Structure formats: C-alpha cells, structure tokens
Amino acid sequence: MERRSALLLGAAATLAACAPKTEPAPMGSDGRPLPKVYHIAPGDESAISYRMLDGVNALRQSKGAPQLTFNAALIAACATHSRDMAVQNRPWHFGSDGSSPLVRVQRVGYTGKLLGELISETYETELETLSDWMSQSDTRAMVLDPRATEMGFSWFQEPTGKLWWTMLMGAARA
C-alpha cells in the first residue's frame, strides 16, 4: 500500500511540474495591467476592416441607424492620417501639414459630406478600440449618426506594435 501511495504521489508531483506556470500580468504605474501587443500579420487587413464594419453596423442596427458601406476615398484618407499621426507621435485630428479631416477627404476626391473622424493611439484590437469609442458619448454619437451612409477605416502599426486607428464617417450625396 505504501508503495502505491508513493507512486501516486510521485506521479502527481511529476504532473504538477508539467503544468504551465501562469505569471501575473505586468502592471503599469497606474496599477492596471500593461497592454498586450496586437500584431497585425500581412494578409489580415481585409478581415480586420470587415470586423470593424460588421461591428459598427451591428451597433447601428441596434439603434435603428442605416447600415454603412466602405468608401475607397475615405479609406485612403484614413490610411494617410494614421501614418501621419505615427510620424507626429500624437493622436490628433490635424495633419503634420496642418490639414483638417475635411481637407484630407477633399484631397482624396471624396464627393460626399464628411460627418466626422475618430482616432485612437493604442495597442488594442479594432473591436476593443470600437468599444472604447462607444464608451464616450461624443464618439458614440458619431458611430451611431443616422445621417452616415459611408465609412472609411484604416490604421498604421509601428514596429513596436503601437496602432494608430482612424475612422471617417460620411454621407453620400444624392
């Protein structure tokens, strides 16, 4: 009996040693866990864009707002601004050349009406970023604006993993 108990204890100890050790998440100076880097692999661009569009449209549908479609000119303006924010190393609505969102959409030939721009500097996924935008009344109002019919969405990821997200909302001219 003692031999069986010793074997069982030895087997249990061996299995316990094989279990993955989970270390607590590293904490920042604010006491919150440090962000995990969300690396975007080549070829993921389309899936990320459509996850965002689907997420926005699901939120809009729940509020009775019309569905959005992508607009190539708005996407181009988003891509340009995301890269420019990274170059400036600050999230803000003005380009390094002083351009406003309105000027940037005009430069890419957008013929609709610009309704607004959302930006973010983060390590979060696109859906976490959308959730953050929805947690604030002013940015939530833009996502749910019933006048919007078109959307642009793009990002720039630095080698460190930091993401610069930009979303533009517009209304196609009739």
Side-chain angles (χ1 to χ4, degrees), residues 5-24:
S5 296
L7 287 173
L8 285 173
L9 283 174
T14 302
L15 287 174
C18 294
K21 291 185 170 89
T22 56
E23 295 184 24

Side-chain angles (χ1 to χ4, degrees), residues 27-28 56 86 103 126 156 170:
M27 303 299 257
V56 167
V103 168
E126 64 282 357
F156 176 77

